[in-house]
Structure formats: structure tokens, C-alpha cells
Amino acid sequence: MAKLIFSNLVSLDGYCAGPGGDLSRLPMGPVFDEHNLALLKTAGTLVFGRITFGLFQNFWPQVEQDASAGPVLAEIAALTGRLDKLVVSDSLALPATAPWGDAEVVGRAQAHARIQALKSNSDRDLLAYGSHVLMNDLLAQGMVDELRLLMGNVVLGEGVRLFESGLPAALVLIEERRLEGSDIVMLRYAGVPPV
């Protein structure tokens, strides 16, 4: 059975993006990219909320066509292009001719059942980056098997909070380490189903 893994870069004060969804102040770079590539190699399906899907859909297909992209980014682009994709959205209309137009789109009401079916029928993990609204919903339902928080060495002071206020979720710390060559600390948690 596959696991559902969420990976999120977050500021020390708990923001996954600055005001208006601005990601530019979060510490991304080669070490961050290498971590994401290693995680992608374990995945069979990428899971997205609508906003994160749009960001990835607009960025990675262009990187895949960019001959000047470095080897790590090129491999990430190729993997994200090949992997199956599930988008949870009640509003996304995805033309087949669009980049990643073959992604499966399911409404929120069907999302829990569809994700559980994918977990049950796959030996490769489901992986989600960002998608904090979806993450909060699935955490509250006890459906997240693993949460990787990449704590960046920055305080944003405002923006988009990673965790919703009052979120009921139990997590068990199973690994903590500094990503070599960076000031990012990876905190890896196992999800605990609600009682």
C-alpha cells in the first residue's frame, strides 16, 4: 500500500508563502531542489490542490524544454511530466491540450475516496508539494501518512499560514536533520489517524 506524503517549505514563523502567495522570500536553491528530486523518485502519483497545480503546470513544462536548465532541474521537470497527477478542485477545467492536460481532476467531495483508492492500489507513494488547503483537510481526516516540513531560515512575518487555526492533527516526529549545505532543517513526521 502506498503512502500519502506532503512536503512543504515553511518559514520559522509558520508561513508557506508571503502575502499574495509570494514564494520569493523562502529559501529555495540547489539543496532544496536535490531534496525534492530524491522525493520525486519514490513517487507514482503527484497530488495537487488547484493553485499549486497551476504553479507547477506553468513552470515545469517550460523547464523541460529549456536546454540551459541544470541537470537536477531537468530531471525534476522530466519526472513531474511523466508521473500521474491528481488535482483536487471543484473549479478547474483542464483542456486535454493544456500542459499536463491528462491530469485527473476530482471534486472535493470525491477526493478522500479517490486518494484512498490510489493508496490502496499502488506500491509507489502519492506525493504532494504545497497544496496547504488540501493538506489541512487530509491531515484533519488522518489521511496523511507522512509530513515533511522543510524549515527555512527566514521569518516572513505575514502571508499564507501552512496550518489552519484549530486544525486537529496528531503527528509523531520520526526524523530531523539539516539538509547538507544549507540552513534548511527537515522535520519528518508520521501522521496519526484520529481516534
Side-chain angles (χ1 to χ4, degrees), residues 19-91:
D22 179 19
L23 300 172
S24 66
R25 290 185 48 212
L26 290 170
M28 299 179 207
V31 172
F32 176 73
D33 295 337
E34 288 168 13
H35 173 81
N36 289 328
L37 176 58
L39 200 49
L40 272 168
K41 289 179 179 180
T42 70
T45 301
L46 292 173
V47 179
F48 298 96
R50 179 186 54 79
I51 293 171
T52 303
F53 178 77
L55 292 170
F56 274 54
Q57 179 192 35
N58 289 329
F59 182 76
W60 289 112
Q62 292 180 13
V63 172
E64 193 170 14
Q65 303 302 318
D66 184 355
S68 67
V72 172
L73 291 181
E75 192 170 358
I76 290 172
L79 278 171
T80 55
R82 283 196 307 265
L83 288 171
D84 292 338
K85 296 164 196 68
L86 176 71
V87 186
V88 177
S89 174
D90 289 331
S91 61

Side-chain angles (χ1 to χ4, degrees), residues 110-124:
Q110 297 81 36
H112 295 174
R114 183 61 183 131
I115 289 170
Q116 191 56 51
L118 286 171
K119 286 172 63 174
S120 297
N121 296 315
S122 179
D123 56 357
R124 294 184 58 85

Side-chain angles (χ1 to χ4, degrees), residues 97-108:
T97 56
W100 296 357
D102 59 345
E104 179 183 359
V105 180
V106 297
R108 290 179 176 273

Side-chain angles (χ1 to χ4, degrees), residues 9-13 15-19 21-28 152-159:
L9 181 60
V10 62
S11 68
L12 289 171
D13 53 345
Y15 295 100
C16 59
D22 179 19
L23 300 172
S24 66
R25 290 185 48 212
L26 290 170
M28 299 179 207
N153 58 323
V154 64
V155 174
L156 295 182
E158 61 180 338

Side-chain angles (χ1 to χ4, degrees), residues 96 111 184 186:
I184 297 173
M186 193 271 291

